[in-house]
């Protein structure tokens, strides 16, 4: 959901103090704008605390870093529209630790949003290539400047063979509606000895359709894991959506269609040239 322009102006005003779990606007502005801001912050999970010593919107958790991402993107995840939600900072740390991101590694973030993960990857010295479908978030990623490359477009349309080298790590929090397609496609960009870590809906742990069952079997075969995350993992996005973490280690010669697997396939063009000779 987009922030109303006047609310965004107040929240990004240098006099507004966003610290820890509080949003404090210690200056006079139009009451109608205050009401709109109140609606937005309440929708995000805050309550207005009128006591003189506080007089701020107070969240039940730390909101500082999360709100910074929302303000940079100009939008916030609402209860009513959950396609976009930036990964909360503590979960970003957990994902980057699990992936084992070190300086100099090539890292892919295939649904990068407003860069909640790219900033931490870059802080660890990772060389991150970001893909994002939404043009406004693409601008945010470019302005943020963490990424070695920002690709604007549909990740599912990218061809792993357009990349000479695979990626050491893939970290992602894809749209859940077709998250499995995103994860399977992302495996094609990872090196044989790479690691992929993804957030996904917890449905992945129990859905019984053929594609999900085969995916779980494949994860097990390569020594990966799918682990449920605590129910409050996305509480700061105003949702208690149940999620899990998928961990897939590279596994040469196994069932994973990695970047190296794609490179090993016979090139149809070469076959054609041979036939023509
Ligand atoms: C749940 S958000 C996560 C954002 C970011 N990964 C993070 O952790 O904060 C999913 C993002 O994927 C983007 N997206 C959706 N479909 C996409 C696609 N086909 N290719 C690239 N990005 C896509 C959405 O615009 C959204 O920003």
């Amino acid at each position: 959901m987009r922030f109303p322009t006047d609310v965004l102006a107040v929240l990004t005003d240098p006099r507004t103090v966003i610290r820890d779990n509080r949003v404090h606007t210690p200056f006079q502005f139009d009451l109608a704008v205050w009401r709109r801001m109140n609606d937005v912050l309440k929708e995000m999970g805050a309550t207005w605390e009128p006591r003189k010593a506080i007089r701020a919107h107070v969240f039940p958790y730390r909101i500082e870093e999360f709100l910074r991402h929302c303000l940079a993107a100009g939008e916030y995840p609402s209860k009513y529209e959950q396609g976009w939600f930036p990964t909360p900072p503590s979960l970003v740390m957990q994902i980057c630790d699990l992936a084992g991101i070190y300086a100099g590694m090539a890292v892919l973030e295939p649904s990068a949003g407003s860069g909640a993960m790219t900033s931490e990857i870059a802080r660890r010295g990772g060389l991150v290539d970001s893909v994002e479908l939404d043009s406004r978030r693409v601008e945010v990623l470019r302005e943020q400047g963490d990424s070695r490359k920002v690709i604007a477009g549909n990740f599912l349309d990218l061809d792993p063979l357009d990349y000479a080298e695979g990626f050491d790590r893939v970290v992602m929090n894809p749209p859940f509606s077709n998250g499995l397609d995103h994860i399977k496609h992302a495996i094609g960009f990872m090196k044989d000895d790479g690691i992929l870590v993804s957030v996904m809906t917890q449905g992945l742990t129990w859905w019984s359709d053929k594609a999900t069952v085969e995916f779980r079997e494949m994860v097990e075969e390569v020594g990966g894991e799918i682990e449920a995350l605590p129910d409050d993992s996305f509480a700061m996005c105003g949702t208690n959506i149940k999620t899990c973490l998928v961990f897939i280690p590279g596994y040469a010669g196994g069932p994973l269609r990695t970047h190296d697997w794609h490179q090993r396939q016979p090139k149809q063009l070469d076959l054609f040239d041979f036939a023509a000779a």
Side-chain angles (χ1 to χ4, degrees), residues 59-142:
F59 287 80
Y61 33 73
R62 186 178 167 91
I63 194 77
E64 199 175 323
E65 294 82 2
F66 179 77
L67 196 50
R68 202 178 302 141
H69 275 289
C70 295
L71 294 175
E75 61 186 320
Y76 61 99
S78 109
K79 292 182 202 122
Y80 313 109
E81 176 222 36
Q82 291 169 349
W84 172 75
F85 41 86
T87 310
S90 58
L91 186 53
V92 170
M93 297 301 269
Q94 188 182 343
I95 290 167
C96 291
D97 286 350
L98 190 60
I101 292 173
Y102 302 111
M105 281 182 167
V107 184
L108 176 66
E109 217 292 26
S111 40
S114 59
M117 300 219 254
T118 57
S119 53
E120 179 57 22
I121 298 164
R123 197 188 65 76
R124 293 175 187 229
L127 307 169
V128 57
D129 287 358
S130 305
V131 188
E132 174 55 49
L133 191 59
D134 181 278
S135 55
R136 284 172 286 123
R137 286 174 216 136
V138 166
E139 284 313 308
V140 173
L141 289 165
R142 292 196 169 129

Coordinates of all heavy atoms in Angstrom, one line a residue, residues 59-142:
F59 N 5.0 0.8 18.7 CA 4.8 -0.5 18.2 C 5.2 -1.6 19.3 O 6.0 -1.3 20.1 CB 5.7 -0.7 17.0 CG 5.3 0.0 15.7 CD1 5.5 1.4 15.6 CD2 4.6 -0.7 14.8 CE1 5.1 2.0 14.5 CE2 4.1 0.0 13.6 CZ 4.4 1.3 13.5
P60 N 4.7 -2.8 19.2 CA 5.0 -3.8 20.2 C 6.4 -4.4 19.9 O 6.8 -5.4 20.5 CB 3.9 -4.8 20.0 CG 3.3 -4.6 18.7 CD 3.6 -3.2 18.3
Y61 N 7.1 -3.9 19.0 CA 8.5 -4.4 18.6 C 9.3 -3.2 18.0 O 8.7 -2.2 17.6 CB 8.4 -5.5 17.6 CG 7.2 -5.4 16.6 CD1 7.3 -4.4 15.6 CD2 6.0 -6.1 16.8 CE1 6.2 -4.2 14.8 CE2 5.0 -5.9 15.9 CZ 5.0 -5.0 14.9 OH 4.0 -4.8 14.1
R62 N 10.6 -3.5 17.8 CA 11.4 -2.5 17.2 C 11.0 -2.3 15.7 O 10.8 -3.2 15.0 CB 12.9 -2.9 17.3 CG 13.9 -1.9 16.8 CD 15.3 -2.5 17.0 NE 16.3 -1.7 16.3 CZ 16.9 -0.7 16.8 NH1 16.7 -0.4 18.1 NH2 17.8 0.0 16.1
I63 N 10.8 -1.0 15.3 CA 10.3 -0.7 14.0 C 11.3 0.1 13.1 O 11.1 0.2 11.9 CB 8.9 0.0 14.1 CG1 8.2 0.1 12.8 CG2 9.2 1.4 14.6 CD1 7.5 -1.2 12.5
E64 N 12.3 0.6 13.8 CA 13.2 1.6 13.2 C 13.7 1.2 11.8 O 13.5 1.9 10.8 CB 14.4 1.7 14.1 CG 15.2 3.0 13.9 CD 16.3 3.2 15.0 OE1 16.1 2.8 16.1 OE2 17.4 3.6 14.6
E65 N 14.4 0.0 11.7 CA 15.0 -0.4 10.4 C 13.9 -0.7 9.4 O 14.0 -0.4 8.2 CB 15.9 -1.6 10.5 CG 17.2 -1.4 11.4 CD 16.9 -1.4 12.9 OE1 15.8 -1.7 13.3 OE2 17.9 -1.2 13.6
F66 N 12.9 -1.4 9.8 CA 11.8 -1.8 9.0 C 11.1 -0.6 8.3 O 10.9 -0.6 7.1 CB 10.8 -2.7 9.8 CG 9.7 -3.1 9.0 CD1 9.8 -4.2 8.1 CD2 8.4 -2.5 9.1 CE1 8.7 -4.6 7.3 CE2 7.3 -2.9 8.4 CZ 7.5 -4.0 7.5
L67 N 10.8 0.4 9.2 CA 10.1 1.6 8.7 C 11.0 2.3 7.7 O 10.5 2.9 6.7 CB 9.7 2.4 9.9 CG 8.6 3.5 9.6 CD1 7.4 2.9 8.9 CD2 8.2 4.1 10.9
R68 N 12.3 2.3 7.9 CA 13.2 3.0 7.0 C 13.0 2.4 5.6 O 13.0 3.1 4.6 CB 14.7 2.8 7.5 CG 15.6 3.8 6.9 CD 17.0 3.7 7.5 NE 17.1 3.7 8.9 CZ 17.9 3.0 9.7 NH1 18.7 2.1 9.1 NH2 17.9 3.1 11.0
H69 N 12.9 1.1 5.5 CA 12.7 0.4 4.2 C 11.4 0.8 3.6 O 11.3 1.1 2.4 CB 12.8 -1.1 4.4 CG 14.2 -1.7 4.3 ND1 14.9 -1.7 3.2 CD2 14.9 -2.1 5.3 CE1 16.1 -2.2 3.5 NE2 16.1 -2.5 4.7
C70 N 10.4 0.8 4.4 CA 9.0 1.2 3.9 C 9.1 2.6 3.4 O 8.5 2.9 2.3 CB 8.0 1.1 5.0 SG 7.8 -0.6 5.6
L71 N 9.7 3.6 4.1 CA 9.7 5.0 3.7 C 10.5 5.1 2.4 O 10.1 5.9 1.6 CB 10.3 5.8 4.8 CG 9.4 5.9 6.1 CD1 10.0 6.7 7.2 CD2 8.0 6.5 5.8
A72 N 11.6 4.4 2.3 CA 12.4 4.5 1.1 C 11.6 4.0 -0.1 O 11.7 4.5 -1.2 CB 13.7 3.6 1.3
A73 N 10.8 2.9 0.1 CA 10.0 2.3 -1.0 C 8.8 3.1 -1.2 O 8.1 3.0 -2.2 CB 9.7 0.9 -0.6
G74 N 8.4 4.0 -0.2 CA 7.2 4.8 -0.4 C 5.9 4.0 -0.1 O 4.8 4.4 -0.5
E75 N 6.1 2.7 0.4 CA 4.9 1.9 0.6 C 5.1 1.0 1.9 O 6.2 0.9 2.4 CB 4.6 1.0 -0.6 CG 5.7 0.1 -0.9 CD 5.5 -0.7 -2.2 OE1 4.4 -1.1 -2.5 OE2 6.5 -0.9 -3.0
Y76 N 4.0 0.5 2.4 CA 4.0 -0.3 3.6 C 3.2 -1.6 3.3 O 2.2 -1.5 2.6 CB 3.6 0.5 4.8 CG 2.1 0.9 4.7 CD1 1.1 0.2 5.3 CD2 1.8 2.1 4.0 CE1 -0.2 0.7 5.2 CE2 0.5 2.5 3.9 CZ -0.5 1.8 4.5 OH -1.8 2.2 4.4
P77 N 3.6 -2.7 4.0 CA 2.7 -3.9 3.8 C 1.5 -3.7 4.6 O 1.6 -3.4 5.8 CB 3.6 -5.0 4.4 CG 4.7 -4.3 5.1 CD 4.7 -2.9 4.9
S78 N 0.4 -3.9 4.0 CA -0.9 -3.8 4.8 C -1.5 -5.1 5.0 O -1.2 -6.1 4.3 CB -1.8 -2.8 4.0 OG -2.9 -3.6 3.5
K79 N -2.4 -5.2 6.0 CA -3.1 -6.4 6.3 C -3.8 -6.9 5.1 O -4.1 -8.1 4.9 CB -4.1 -6.2 7.4 CG -3.5 -5.9 8.8 CD -4.6 -5.8 9.8 CE -4.1 -5.0 10.9 NZ -4.8 -3.8 11.3
Y80 N -4.2 -6.0 4.2 CA -5.1 -6.3 3.1 C -4.3 -6.6 1.8 O -4.9 -7.0 0.9 CB -6.0 -5.1 2.9 CG -6.6 -4.6 4.1 CD1 -6.3 -3.4 4.7 CD2 -7.5 -5.4 4.9 CE1 -6.8 -2.9 5.9 CE2 -8.0 -4.9 6.1 CZ -7.7 -3.7 6.6 OH -8.2 -3.3 7.7
E81 N -3.0 -6.4 1.8 CA -2.3 -6.6 0.6 C -0.9 -7.0 1.0 O -0.1 -6.2 1.4 CB -2.3 -5.3 -0.2 CG -1.4 -5.3 -1.4 CD -0.6 -4.0 -1.6 OE1 -0.1 -3.5 -0.5 OE2 -0.4 -3.6 -2.7
Q82 N -0.7 -8.4 0.9 CA 0.6 -8.9 1.5 C 1.6 -9.3 0.4 O 2.4 -10.2 0.7 CB 0.3 -9.9 2.5 CG -0.4 -9.4 3.7 CD -1.0 -10.4 4.6 OE1 -1.1 -11.6 4.3 NE2 -1.4 -10.0 5.8
G83 N 1.5 -8.8 -0.8 CA 2.4 -9.3 -1.8 C 3.9 -8.8 -1.6 O 4.8 -9.5 -1.9
W84 N 4.0 -7.7 -1.0 CA 5.3 -7.1 -0.7 C 5.5 -7.0 0.8 O 4.7 -6.3 1.5 CB 5.5 -5.8 -1.3 CG 6.8 -5.1 -0.9 CD1 8.1 -5.4 -1.3 CD2 6.9 -4.0 0.0 NE1 9.0 -4.6 -0.7 CE2 8.3 -3.7 0.1 CE3 6.0 -3.3 0.7 CZ2 8.8 -2.7 0.9 CZ3 6.6 -2.3 1.6 CH2 7.9 -2.0 1.6
F85 N 6.5 -7.6 1.4 CA 6.9 -7.2 2.8 C 8.4 -7.4 2.9 O 8.9 -8.5 2.6 CB 6.1 -8.0 3.8 CG 5.8 -9.5 3.5 CD1 6.8 -10.4 3.8 CD2 4.7 -9.9 2.9 CE1 6.6 -11.7 3.5 CE2 4.5 -11.2 2.6 CZ 5.4 -12.1 2.9
P86 N 9.0 -6.4 3.3 CA 10.5 -6.5 3.5 C 10.8 -7.5 4.6 O 10.1 -7.5 5.7 CB 10.9 -5.1 3.9 CG 9.7 -4.3 4.1 CD 8.5 -5.1 3.7
T87 N 11.8 -8.3 4.4 CA 12.2 -9.3 5.5 C 12.7 -8.5 6.7 O 13.6 -7.7 6.6 CB 13.3 -10.2 4.9 OG1 12.9 -10.7 3.7 CG2 13.6 -11.3 5.9
P88 N 12.1 -8.8 7.9 CA 12.6 -8.1 9.1 C 14.1 -8.3 9.4 O 14.6 -9.4 9.1 CB 11.7 -8.8 10.2 CG 10.5 -9.3 9.5 CD 11.0 -9.8 8.1
P89 N 14.7 -7.3 10.0 CA 16.2 -7.4 10.2 C 16.7 -8.6 10.8 O 17.7 -9.2 10.4 CB 16.5 -6.1 11.0 CG 15.3 -5.2 10.8 CD 14.1 -6.1 10.4
S90 N 16.0 -9.1 11.9 CA 16.6 -10.3 12.6 C 16.6 -11.5 11.7 O 17.5 -12.3 11.7 CB 15.8 -10.5 13.9 OG 14.5 -10.7 13.6
L91 N 15.5 -11.6 10.9 CA 15.4 -12.7 9.9 C 16.5 -12.6 8.8 O 17.1 -13.6 8.4 CB 14.0 -12.8 9.4 CG 13.7 -14.1 8.5 CD1 14.1 -15.4 9.2 CD2 12.2 -14.1 8.1
V92 N 16.7 -11.4 8.4 CA 17.8 -11.2 7.4 C 19.1 -11.7 7.9 O 19.9 -12.4 7.2 CB 17.9 -9.7 7.0 CG1 19.2 -9.4 6.2 CG2 16.7 -9.2 6.3
M93 N 19.4 -11.4 9.2 CA 20.7 -11.8 9.8 C 20.7 -13.4 9.8 O 21.7 -14.0 9.5 CB 20.8 -11.3 11.3 CG 20.9 -9.8 11.4 SD 22.2 -9.1 10.5 CE 23.5 -9.1 11.7
Q94 N 19.6 -14.0 10.2 CA 19.5 -15.4 10.3 C 19.8 -16.0 8.9 O 20.5 -17.0 8.8 CB 18.1 -15.8 10.8 CG 18.0 -17.3 11.2 CD 16.6 -17.6 11.6 OE1 15.8 -16.7 12.0 NE2 16.2 -18.9 11.6
I95 N 19.2 -15.5 7.9 CA 19.3 -16.0 6.5 C 20.8 -15.9 6.1 O 21.3 -16.8 5.5 CB 18.3 -15.3 5.6 CG1 16.9 -15.6 5.9 CG2 18.7 -15.5 4.1 CD1 15.9 -14.8 5.3
C96 N 21.4 -14.7 6.3 CA 22.7 -14.5 5.8 C 23.7 -15.4 6.6 O 24.7 -15.9 6.1 CB 23.1 -13.0 6.0 SG 22.2 -12.0 4.8
D97 N 23.4 -15.6 7.9 CA 24.3 -16.5 8.7 C 24.2 -17.9 8.2 O 25.2 -18.6 8.0 CB 23.9 -16.5 10.2 CG 24.3 -15.2 10.9 OD1 25.0 -14.4 10.3 OD2 23.8 -15.0 12.1
L98 N 22.9 -18.3 7.9 CA 22.7 -19.7 7.4 C 23.3 -19.9 6.1 O 23.9 -21.0 5.8 CB 21.2 -19.9 7.4 CG 20.7 -21.3 7.1 CD1 21.2 -22.3 8.2 CD2 19.1 -21.4 7.1
A99 N 23.3 -18.9 5.2 CA 23.9 -19.0 3.9 C 25.4 -18.9 4.0 O 26.1 -19.4 3.1 CB 23.3 -17.9 3.0
G100 N 25.9 -18.4 5.0 CA 27.4 -18.2 5.2 C 27.9 -17.3 4.1 O 28.7 -17.7 3.3
I101 N 27.5 -16.1 4.2 CA 27.9 -15.1 3.2 C 29.2 -14.4 3.6 O 29.3 -13.9 4.7 CB 26.9 -14.0 2.9 CG1 25.7 -14.7 2.2 CG2 27.4 -12.9 2.1 CD1 24.4 -13.9 2.1
Y102 N 30.3 -14.5 2.8 CA 31.6 -14.0 3.1 C 32.0 -13.0 2.0 O 31.5 -13.0 0.9 CB 32.6 -15.1 3.3 CG 32.3 -16.1 4.4 CD1 32.0 -17.4 4.0 CD2 32.2 -15.7 5.7 CE1 31.6 -18.3 5.0 CE2 31.9 -16.6 6.7 CZ 31.6 -17.9 6.3 OH 31.2 -18.8 7.3
A103 N 33.0 -12.2 2.4 CA 33.5 -11.2 1.4 C 33.9 -11.8 0.1 O 34.6 -12.8 0.1 CB 34.7 -10.4 2.1
G104 N 33.5 -11.2 -1.0 CA 33.9 -11.6 -2.3 C 33.0 -12.6 -3.0 O 33.2 -12.9 -4.1
M105 N 32.1 -13.2 -2.2 CA 31.1 -14.1 -2.8 C 30.2 -13.5 -3.8 O 29.7 -12.4 -3.5 CB 30.3 -14.8 -1.7 CG 31.0 -15.9 -1.0 SD 29.9 -16.6 0.2 CE 30.8 -18.1 0.7
A106 N 29.8 -14.2 -4.8 CA 28.8 -13.7 -5.7 C 27.4 -14.2 -5.2 O 27.2 -15.4 -5.0 CB 29.0 -14.2 -7.1
V107 N 26.5 -13.2 -4.9 CA 25.2 -13.5 -4.3 C 24.1 -13.0 -5.2 O 24.2 -11.9 -5.7 CB 25.1 -12.9 -2.9 CG1 23.8 -13.3 -2.2 CG2 26.3 -13.2 -2.0
L108 N 23.1 -13.9 -5.4 CA 21.9 -13.5 -6.1 C 20.7 -13.2 -5.2 O 20.4 -14.1 -4.3 CB 21.5 -14.6 -7.1 CG 20.3 -14.3 -8.0 CD1 20.4 -13.1 -8.9 CD2 19.9 -15.6 -8.8
E109 N 20.0 -12.1 -5.3 CA 18.8 -11.8 -4.6 C 17.7 -11.6 -5.7 O 17.6 -10.6 -6.3 CB 18.9 -10.6 -3.8 CG 18.2 -10.6 -2.4 CD 16.6 -10.6 -2.5 OE1 16.1 -11.1 -3.5 OE2 16.0 -10.2 -1.5
P110 N 17.0 -12.7 -6.1 CA 16.1 -12.7 -7.3 C 14.8 -12.0 -7.1 O 14.1 -11.9 -8.1 CB 15.9 -14.1 -7.6 CG 16.2 -14.9 -6.3 CD 17.0 -14.0 -5.4
S111 N 14.4 -11.5 -5.9 CA 13.1 -10.8 -5.8 C 13.4 -9.7 -4.7 O 12.9 -9.8 -3.6 CB 12.0 -11.7 -5.4 OG 12.5 -12.7 -4.5
A112 N 14.3 -8.8 -5.0 CA 15.0 -8.0 -4.0 C 14.2 -6.9 -3.3 O 14.6 -6.4 -2.3 CB 16.2 -7.4 -4.7
G113 N 13.0 -6.6 -3.8 CA 12.1 -5.7 -3.1 C 12.8 -4.3 -2.9 O 13.4 -3.8 -3.9
S114 N 12.8 -3.8 -1.7 CA 13.5 -2.5 -1.5 C 14.9 -2.7 -0.8 O 15.4 -1.8 -0.2 CB 12.6 -1.6 -0.6 OG 12.4 -2.3 0.6
G115 N 15.4 -4.0 -0.9 CA 16.8 -4.2 -0.5 C 17.0 -4.5 0.9 O 18.1 -4.3 1.5
A116 N 16.0 -5.1 1.6 CA 16.2 -5.5 3.0 C 17.4 -6.5 3.2 O 18.1 -6.4 4.1 CB 14.9 -6.1 3.6
M117 N 17.5 -7.4 2.2 CA 18.6 -8.3 2.3 C 19.9 -7.8 1.6 O 21.0 -8.1 2.1 CB 18.2 -9.7 1.7 CG 16.9 -10.2 2.4 SD 17.0 -12.0 2.5 CE 15.9 -12.5 1.3
T118 N 19.7 -7.0 0.6 CA 20.9 -6.6 -0.2 C 21.8 -5.8 0.7 O 23.1 -5.9 0.6 CB 20.6 -5.8 -1.5 OG1 19.8 -4.7 -1.1 CG2 19.8 -6.7 -2.4
S119 N 21.3 -5.0 1.6 CA 22.1 -4.1 2.4 C 23.0 -4.9 3.3 O 24.2 -4.7 3.5 CB 21.3 -3.1 3.2 OG 20.3 -3.7 3.9
E120 N 22.4 -6.0 3.9 CA 23.2 -6.9 4.8 C 24.2 -7.7 4.0 O 25.4 -7.9 4.5 CB 22.2 -7.8 5.6 CG 22.9 -8.7 6.6 CD 23.8 -8.1 7.6 OE1 23.7 -6.8 7.9 OE2 24.7 -8.7 8.1
I121 N 23.8 -8.2 2.8 CA 24.8 -8.9 2.0 C 26.0 -8.1 1.7 O 27.2 -8.5 1.8 CB 24.1 -9.4 0.7 CG1 22.9 -10.3 1.0 CG2 25.1 -10.1 -0.2 CD1 22.0 -10.6 -0.2
A122 N 25.7 -6.8 1.3 CA 26.8 -5.9 0.9 C 27.7 -5.6 2.2 O 28.9 -5.5 2.1 CB 26.3 -4.6 0.3
R123 N 27.0 -5.5 3.3 CA 27.8 -5.2 4.5 C 28.7 -6.3 4.9 O 29.8 -6.0 5.4 CB 26.8 -5.0 5.7 CG 27.4 -4.3 6.9 CD 26.4 -4.3 8.1 NE 26.1 -5.6 8.6 CZ 27.0 -6.3 9.4 NH1 28.1 -5.8 9.7 NH2 26.7 -7.5 9.8
R124 N 28.4 -7.5 4.5 CA 29.3 -8.6 4.7 C 30.3 -8.8 3.6 O 31.0 -9.8 3.6 CB 28.5 -9.9 4.9 CG 27.6 -9.9 6.1 CD 26.7 -11.2 6.1 NE 25.7 -11.0 7.3 CZ 25.5 -12.0 8.2 NH1 26.1 -13.2 8.1 NH2 24.7 -11.8 9.2
G125 N 30.3 -7.9 2.6 CA 31.3 -8.0 1.5 C 30.8 -8.8 0.4 O 31.6 -9.1 -0.6
G126 N 29.6 -9.3 0.4 CA 29.1 -10.1 -0.8 C 28.8 -9.2 -2.0 O 28.5 -8.0 -1.8
L127 N 29.0 -9.7 -3.2 CA 28.8 -9.0 -4.4 C 27.4 -9.4 -4.9 O 27.3 -10.5 -5.5 CB 29.9 -9.3 -5.4 CG 31.3 -9.1 -4.9 CD1 32.3 -9.7 -5.9 CD2 31.6 -7.7 -4.7
V128 N 26.4 -8.5 -4.7 CA 25.1 -9.0 -4.9 C 24.5 -8.4 -6.2 O 24.6 -7.2 -6.5 CB 24.2 -8.6 -3.6 CG1 24.2 -7.1 -3.3 CG2 22.7 -9.1 -3.8
D129 N 23.9 -9.3 -7.0 CA 23.1 -9.0 -8.1 C 21.6 -9.1 -7.7 O 21.2 -10.1 -7.2 CB 23.4 -9.9 -9.3 CG 24.7 -9.6 -9.9 OD1 25.4 -8.7 -9.4 OD2 25.1 -10.3 -10.9
S130 N 20.8 -8.0 -8.0 CA 19.4 -8.0 -7.5 C 18.5 -8.0 -8.7 O 18.8 -7.3 -9.7 CB 19.2 -6.7 -6.7 OG 20.0 -6.6 -5.7
V131 N 17.4 -8.7 -8.6 CA 16.4 -8.7 -9.6 C 15.1 -8.2 -9.0 O 14.8 -8.6 -7.8 CB 16.1 -10.1 -10.2 CG1 15.2 -10.0 -11.4 CG2 17.5 -10.7 -10.6
E132 N 14.3 -7.3 -9.6 CA 13.1 -6.9 -9.0 C 12.1 -6.5 -10.2 O 12.5 -5.8 -11.1 CB 13.3 -5.7 -8.1 CG 12.1 -5.0 -7.5 CD 11.1 -5.9 -6.8 OE1 11.5 -6.7 -6.0 OE2 9.9 -5.8 -7.2
L133 N 10.9 -6.9 -10.0 CA 9.9 -6.7 -11.0 C 9.3 -5.3 -11.0 O 9.0 -4.6 -12.0 CB 8.7 -7.7 -10.8 CG 7.7 -7.9 -11.8 CD1 8.2 -8.3 -13.2 CD2 6.7 -9.0 -11.4
D134 N 9.1 -4.8 -9.7 CA 8.4 -3.5 -9.5 C 9.3 -2.3 -9.8 O 10.4 -2.2 -9.1 CB 7.9 -3.5 -8.1 CG 7.1 -2.2 -7.8 OD1 7.7 -1.2 -7.5 OD2 5.9 -2.2 -7.9
S135 N 8.9 -1.4 -10.7 CA 9.9 -0.4 -11.2 C 10.2 0.6 -10.1 O 11.3 1.1 -10.0 CB 9.3 0.3 -12.4 OG 8.0 0.8 -12.1
R136 N 9.3 0.8 -9.1 CA 9.6 1.8 -8.0 C 10.6 1.2 -7.1 O 11.5 1.9 -6.7 CB 8.3 2.1 -7.2 CG 7.4 3.1 -8.0 CD 6.0 3.2 -7.3 NE 5.2 2.1 -7.4 CZ 4.7 1.4 -6.4 NH1 4.9 1.7 -5.2 NH2 4.0 0.3 -6.7
R137 N 10.5 -0.1 -6.8 CA 11.5 -0.7 -6.0 C 12.8 -0.9 -6.7 O 13.9 -0.8 -6.0 CB 11.0 -2.1 -5.5 CG 9.9 -1.9 -4.5 CD 9.2 -3.3 -4.1 NE 7.8 -3.0 -3.8 CZ 6.8 -3.7 -4.3 NH1 7.1 -4.9 -4.9 NH2 5.6 -3.4 -4.0
V138 N 12.8 -1.0 -8.0 CA 14.1 -1.0 -8.7 C 14.8 0.3 -8.5 O 16.0 0.3 -8.3 CB 13.8 -1.2 -10.2 CG1 15.0 -0.9 -11.1 CG2 13.3 -2.6 -10.5
E139 N 14.1 1.4 -8.5 CA 14.7 2.7 -8.3 C 15.3 2.8 -6.9 O 16.4 3.3 -6.7 CB 13.7 3.9 -8.4 CG 13.3 4.2 -9.9 CD 14.5 4.3 -10.8 OE1 15.4 5.1 -10.4 OE2 14.6 3.6 -11.8
V140 N 14.5 2.3 -5.9 CA 15.0 2.3 -4.5 C 16.3 1.5 -4.4 O 17.3 1.9 -3.8 CB 14.0 1.6 -3.6 CG1 14.6 1.5 -2.2 CG2 12.7 2.5 -3.5
L141 N 16.4 0.3 -5.1 CA 17.6 -0.5 -5.1 C 18.8 0.2 -5.7 O 19.9 0.2 -5.2 CB 17.3 -1.8 -5.9 CG 16.4 -2.8 -5.2 CD1 16.0 -3.9 -6.2 CD2 17.1 -3.5 -4.0
R142 N 18.5 0.9 -6.8 CA 19.6 1.6 -7.5 C 20.1 2.8 -6.6 O 21.3 3.0 -6.5 CB 19.1 2.2 -8.9 CG 18.9 1.0 -9.8 CD 18.8 1.4 -11.3 NE 18.8 0.2 -12.1 CZ 17.9 -0.1 -13.1 NH1 17.0 0.8 -13.4 NH2 18.1 -1.2 -13.8

